[in-house]
Amino acid sequence: MAMRIMIQGTMSNAGKSFLAAGLCRIFKQDGLRTAPFKSQNMALNSFITEDGLEMGRAQVIQAEAAGIKPSALMNPILLKPTNNMGSQVIVNGEVLGNMSAREYFAYKKQLVPKIQKAFRELEKQADIIVIEGAGSPAEINLKKDDIVNMGMAKLVDAPVLLVGDIDRGGVFAQLLGTLMLLEEEEKERVKGLIINKFRGDKTILDPGIEMLEERGNVKVTGVVPYMQLSIEDEDSLSAQLENKETGLIDLAVIRLPRISNFTDFNVFEQLPDVSVRYVTSVKELGNPDMILIPGSKNTIGDLQWMRQNGLEAKIKKLSGQIPIWGICGGYQMLGMSIEDPYGVEQSCKEIRGMELLPEHTVLMPEKTRKQVSGTFYDFEGLFAPLSGKEYNGYEIHMGKTQEIRNLVGDMQNARNKTENVYGSYVHGVFDQGSIAEDIVRILAKRKGISWEAKEHYDYAAFKELQYDRLADGLRAHMDMEYVYSILREAKISCDWER
């Protein structure tokens, strides 16, 4: 039986995923085989494993921090919202179907055996499992059928560290209020409190910490500072989506209402003098050097949104002047039409596309899920230097796109007659080698300026450095001896019960 510890939060975006990744890295550094786990994740950023199964990217990042390959066992239930009232339900990496919120809440208890089985399988591969909760354990209207917070902790008998976000204010009320709303058995599981995203002089905070420990009767395990790290964030409310600053090279990403896998563009954010702005209107769009249209969980609905607010017309006008690149759903939007004969998105049967690529897409009930690799075909014009570059990534989409004219290449990728519009189904296509750097260099040359990174940028090495820095920060500001004592105590208790 593996040791286990659970990170729960007082609210969404308190930093659970971030701290879980940091603990995964620490335990890995300390020689323990470590694996992350989240029984139920709601996110539009997902990943395809080597065996073609789908999971949330938060657990992918945590697996990377732990130094292991991602597995759908780490996230047995993934909910991908399709509208304000329902989600696509993915179980063990495969699509179960679309359900309304009410339908899912009535059904989810039936998934407990699948959660247990995934956890037990994962246990065989790990010395310790770092479990992440979702939202808050004090949602009193949802606690009865909880399978992701205290319900999960009870299911596997895990001790809990409760995280509060001081950056938003009211952290003492967050932590004490959460404890007050827990049942006595649940409160006993909370072995430590963490104050996250702290800025300033900790000595000013100390009197409050003393009162917090007295009133909550739980030790404050750490006061974690606000750390400036570049680690992927699954939350669609991520601060990176709020960036409006313009750099020397300006990339504009269309912030679709159902945007998915916006992490495709993280690699550009790490390059000097490059801005990645997420825009929702023609006014915000301005005059970028390139426009990126990301994936979407509701391609037809998001295309209609762009059509209604004028972004489509503006992008089409700019396509004769600057490069436009669509990924996955964004790629589908750039074509001549999108057909939905099976009611996959339940918006309309067929819609005219942006008519910038000679493609036609039919949405299919079966989802394409696979990791892919290959080389760019022979580009002409602006992006000719990318020809023959190797890429790695994964495809995850509900549609099949047929080329109206044949194009050379092993990548589903197209360009229009202006040679400014490009499309691809491959997520992560910019991450490999020097592709992102080459694109920025090409855009800079087009503007008549010189751009060079100080040294070759290795995105994989950069991420490893970020995980190490995160672990260093947690070691410096958390009582890791106490955390290990919690683990040992829980292990002894589990062994005794067995």
Side-chain angles (χ1 to χ4, degrees), residues 340-485:
D340 187 10
Y342 304 99
V344 173
E345 294 190 353
Q346 301 177 343
S347 299
C348 61
K349 290 295 184 183
E350 187 170 4
I351 187 172
R352 172 177 55 83
M354 296 175 71
E355 299 179 319
L356 291 173
L357 289 178
E359 316 262 309
H360 171 68
T361 296
V362 178
L363 299 182
M364 308 296 290
E366 301 82 20
K367 180 179 285 191
T368 297
R369 308 184 312 258
K370 59 183 179 180
Q371 291 192 357
V372 294
S373 61
T375 58
F376 286 105
Y377 64 79
D378 291 335
F379 283 92
E380 296 177 6
L382 184 64
F383 285 146
L386 297 181
S387 302
K389 291 278 186 180
E390 295 183 353
Y391 68 85
N392 288 307
Y394 56 96
E395 292 187 23
I396 173 173
H397 50 91
M398 301 293 289
K400 290 187 177 180
T401 298
Q402 298 174 334
E403 299 173 350
I404 296 173
R405 69 180 185 203
N406 293 325
L407 292 169
V408 178
D410 58 359
M411 179 181 184
Q412 244 186 327
N413 191 313
R415 63 187 184 280
N416 71 350
K417 62 183 178 181
T418 68
E419 298 177 350
N420 271 342
V421 182
Y422 305 82
S424 171
Y425 267 129
V426 181
H427 294 291
V429 69
F430 303 121
D431 292 355
Q432 184 76 8
S434 63
I435 290 174
E437 290 180 60
D438 291 338
I439 288 174
V440 172
R441 192 176 294 109
I442 291 167
L443 295 175
K445 183 178 180 181
R446 181 177 177 274
K447 292 180 75 172
I449 60 178
S450 176
W451 180 94
E452 287 295 338
K454 292 181 180 178
E455 56 186 33
H456 171 60
Y457 181 69
D458 185 328
Y459 191 41
F462 174 81
K463 289 196 289 184
E464 288 296 304
L465 178 61
Q466 299 303 298
Y467 299 140
D468 284 337
R469 288 181 58 197
L470 173 57
D472 291 344
L474 294 192
R475 286 187 191 274
H477 297 281
M478 281 182 60
D479 187 344
M480 288 306 301
E481 284 191 19
Y482 179 69
V483 171
Y484 273 111
S485 73

Side-chain angles (χ1 to χ4, degrees), residues 118-131:
F119 189 87
R120 298 307 176 201
E121 287 297 314
L122 197 60
E123 262 195 319
K124 297 175 183 178
Q125 307 168 24
D127 300 316
I128 181 169
I129 297 178
V130 179
I131 310 167

Side-chain angles (χ1 to χ4, degrees), residues 19 41 83 99 118 170 174 191 194 432 440 455 497:
L19 294 174
N41 200 348
N83 53 48
M99 294 187 187
Q174 291 175 38
K191 303 300 182 183
I194 299 174
Q432 184 76 8
V440 172
E455 56 186 33
E497 288 180 7

